Amino acid sequence: MKLREKEQLMKEIIDEIEDKKQELIETSKYIWNNPEIGYEEFKAKDILISVLEKEGFEIQRDVGNVATAFTAVKKGKGEGPRIAIMSEYDALPEIGHACGHNLFSVASIGAALGIAKVIDKIDGSVVVIGTPAEEGIVPNSGGKAVLIEEGVFENIDAAMICHAEGRTIVERLLVASASIEVIFTGKAAHAGGPPHEWINALTAGLLTINNINAIRQQFLPRVIVNPIITEGGITVNTIPDKCVVKLSIRADRRNVLLNVMDKVENCIKAAAMVTGCNYKIDMEKRIYEDLIPNHELSLAFRNALNVLGVDYIEREEANYAWDAGNVSYVCPTIAPYIKIGSEKLVGHTEDFKKASNSEEGFEGMIIGAKAMALTTFDYLTSPDLRERAKEEFQRKISSNS
């Protein structure tokens, strides 16, 4: 494809998203006003599907045996590569859309609409994948991990998604994370009774935390283990026969995370052995893999931001976790952050919620839509970019194994 033709098609993509701007904003407002937690996002799913369906996308509902997941496909003139634009739309309990999912679920739809305008002139397909339950607050959270296991990402050659932030960041290296719950079971007794008849479950919980604290000096950089006791007794006159400890565990790479989880389990076993308690470990959600942004695709996204005249930060590390990381172990993936307000914005707060339904928030949403659409176009029309992205992906996955 000649440069002049590419430039014309890029203009058509941007113009199409601009033409759909008001509809996209109204869709985002609807989702913001109707917040739904993970695996209950039926209103969000339905309105996003309705926008895509009327533009001729082939819709498949309930993919991966998940009632609030979907795919929407628009095919080009040939077989070609298949690139996924992911859309996540769950909210937080009580506080609602304080993570901006109402914005960037819709940004993904906008990007797909932009590509749909010119898809009949290029080879390949764009696939919107609706991915529920990103927030780790419901059982089996990590909807992208679930859909990967169910085969929804099979035959996807590359993937992308954007997230809200107070700054625009092209490559953000995020950590792997896991959440576990430990239930210690002992033997209750009156606190004034014979001590040899007790088995104090709370002591096992406290020992677990102390054991973890004892090995913190051996943790690698960016390893975080944060335990809390959510249940440790009912009255001071009764020796607790149950103690519940919840732990958030983070590490910069998944192999490091698994190693730390083994060490934490040893701390739990030791506490149980010393006190005589039984214990049970439950995984509250899926393991979120560390996010490995594909640099070649990130360069394409950066070029798109340059075309749009948007300032950005090229690269940084952060200790947040995102199930987009699981996708980055399946295919070349990017997950940039887009500015929606003040640089001081902190996610999961009232200020972030307000920014997610603001003029600056909607501006960021449209920027994200345009940048993802231009990056998708670049990927579908550039065999050289596809090959570089694939080679980088294979190299990084091999080194992280």
Side-chain angles (χ1 to χ4, degrees), residues 377-395:
F377 175 76
D378 196 2
Y379 182 84
L380 291 176
T381 58
S382 174
D384 184 55
L385 171 58
R386 295 198 296 273
E387 188 59 31
R388 294 197 312 271
K390 182 179 178 180
E391 288 178 358
E392 179 193 340
F393 168 74
Q394 293 173 338
R395 183 176 67 253

Side-chain angles (χ1 to χ4, degrees), residues 178 180 249 256-265 283 287:
I180 63 174
I249 307 170
V256 177
L257 177 73
L258 295 175
N259 180 262
V260 174
M261 291 176 71
D262 287 341
K263 292 179 183 293
V264 168
E265 186 169 358
M283 291 281 294
I287 289 178

Side-chain angles (χ1 to χ4, degrees), residues 120-283:
D120 60 339
K121 299 180 179 66
I122 55 181
D123 290 331
S125 303
V126 60
V127 184
V128 179
I129 303 180
T131 62
E134 184 277 329
E135 301 290 357
I137 47 88
V138 297
N140 207 30
S141 292
K144 296 177 189 63
V146 173
L147 296 182
I148 288 168
E149 291 175 9
E150 293 291 333
V152 175
F153 282 85
E154 288 181 5
N155 302 317
I156 295 296
D157 297 293
M160 69 181 71
I161 189 171
C162 286
H163 201 289
E165 235 274 7
R167 300 162 298 151
T168 296
I169 306 163
V170 178
E171 292 185 61
R172 204 174 200 186
L173 283 74
L174 305 183
V175 298
S177 77
S179 295
I180 63 174
E181 179 183 80
V182 188
I183 302 174
F184 289 102
T185 305
K187 184 178 179 181
H190 194 290
H196 61 275
E197 294 182 0
W198 315 340
I199 299 179
N200 193 323
L202 177 58
T203 300
L206 293 172
L207 280 175
T208 296
I209 294 173
N210 288 337
N211 291 341
I212 292 168
N213 288 338
I215 62 172
R216 285 189 190 277
Q217 63 181 349
Q218 299 166 17
F219 288 166
L220 293 171
R222 299 184 75 195
V223 169
I224 298 170
V225 180
N226 185 46
I228 62 170
I229 294 176
T230 60
E231 185 177 339
I234 300 172
T235 89
V236 293
N237 285 327
T238 302
I239 301 302
D241 64 345
K242 183 180 179 182
C243 180
V244 180
V245 182
K246 293 188 176 184
L247 303 102
S248 171
I249 307 170
R250 297 168 186 258
D252 64 340
R253 298 186 309 280
R254 68 175 176 181
N255 58 342
V256 177
L257 177 73
L258 295 175
N259 180 262
V260 174
M261 291 176 71
D262 287 341
K263 292 179 183 293
V264 168
E265 186 169 358
N266 287 337
C267 292
I268 295 164
K269 288 178 180 178
M273 188 178 298
V274 167
T275 59
C277 286
N278 295 317
Y279 73 91
K280 178 185 176 184
I281 299 176
D282 289 325
M283 291 281 294

